[in-house]
Amino acid sequence: MSASDLAERFLDGAIGLLEQVREGEAESITAAGTLLADAVAEGRRLFAFGAGHSALVAQDVVYRAGGLAVVNLLAVPGLVGVDVHPAPLGSALERVDGLATAALDASPARAGDVLVVVSLSGRNPLPVEMARHARSLGLGVIGLTSTAYACETTPRNASGTFLKDHCDVVLDNRVPVGDATLTHPDVPAPFAPASTVVSCALIQAAVATAAGVLADRGLTPPLLRSGNVDGGHAWNERVMTEYADRIFYRR
């Protein structure tokens, strides 16, 4: 089996997952996009949270060309991406009870806002607690996860539940347990994870839906443009000034 064969298998696998999502998650994508659009139309704020590699997905919709300007990263120190040292500390922090509640209480999120919580397994205390506490505060919650974990693993938090159990809308990325999509007879462990590819596509599909819903209502979506096109910076400055009360990454 050649290296090019493996690359093709991975791309085929990722495309297969995207096709599953397109066919099986259409209603959920519409519901998620509508929830985002409702919040924008009502003057509310949007937040996205993920820990470790899931943080990459959350960051993909924050201050992003072609994205909604009012999406803010809900950051928990030590969990914003994979730059924590030592790296296993990030995994340990995901299992700390009370951390999500403290982080959310210290954030500018308020009742009526919408929070996207990204967690592939959805089984650790941090994402479960984040979603539960957000709903108790009156936020709308969109969970982006793999529901396969709820069927094939056990919860790793005191509530005995998964992220999917505490959301207004669940976006299922259909990624198999363990994430890695390929095996090889001479390689001792599965490899080639696809969750980031599929999860980013899912969340961007929801944002695209939100933009369309707003346009259908006669409202102009607060979209950012690339700073690498002529006039992009001026456009973004105008949008961020107009929506300054809902943008927290600029301060």
Side-chain angles (χ1 to χ4, degrees), residues 4-246:
S4 61
D5 290 335
L6 290 171
E8 185 174 342
R9 282 177 54 199
F10 171 73
L11 292 171
D12 286 343
I15 291 169
L17 286 168
L18 288 169
E19 289 176 340
Q20 288 184 47
V21 164
R22 180 177 62 186
E23 296 170 6
E25 296 301 306
E27 290 186 7
S28 295
I29 290 170
T30 298
T34 302
L35 190 59
L36 295 173
D38 288 344
V40 173
E42 295 167 5
R44 306 295 185 177
R45 292 82 57 83
L46 308 178
F47 297 86
F49 166 79
H53 285 91
S54 291
L56 304 178
V57 180
Q59 291 174 50
D60 196 53
V61 289
V62 177
Y63 188 52
R64 181 64 189 265
L68 293 169
V70 294
V71 181
N72 302 275
L73 186 67
L74 200 161
V76 178
L79 289 166
V80 184
V82 293
D83 58 345
V84 61
H85 297 285
L89 175 61
S91 298
L93 289 173
E94 289 188 60
R95 298 192 292 272
V96 174
D97 291 323
L99 181 57
T101 295
L104 190 55
D105 286 346
S107 80
R110 298 293 181 267
D113 296 341
V114 173
L115 171 64
V116 180
V117 180
V118 186
S119 174
L120 179 61
S121 72
R123 68 195 294 239
N124 289 314
L126 191 65
V128 172
E129 182 183 322
M130 184 71 74
R132 290 182 66 192
H133 190 51
R135 293 186 86 187
S136 75
L137 295 177
L139 278 76
V141 177
I142 299 170
L144 203 171
T145 187
S146 168
T147 61
Y149 280 82
C151 300
E152 300 179 37
T153 71
T154 56
R156 199 153 55 188
N157 62 86
S159 73
T161 59
F162 287 84
L163 169 60
K164 72 175 186 64
D165 300 318
H166 305 284
C167 302
D168 296 287
V169 180
V170 175
L171 296 173
D172 185 359
N173 59 24
R174 310 295 178 101
V175 171
V177 172
D179 199 357
T181 60
L182 298 182
T183 58
H184 188 286
D186 298 323
V187 178
F191 55 99
S195 61
T196 306
V197 174
V198 183
S199 295
C200 283
L202 256 177
I203 197 169
Q204 291 294 355
V207 170
T209 300
V213 169
L214 289 168
D216 288 344
R217 297 177 182 177
L219 302 173
T220 301
L223 297 172
L224 296 172
R225 301 191 69 178
S226 171
N228 294 311
V229 300
D230 292 342
H233 287 297
W235 172 285
N236 292 342
E237 181 65 24
R238 177 183 61 78
V239 172
M240 289 191 290
T241 298
E242 181 178 351
Y243 292 89
D245 62 327
R246 295 189 247 174

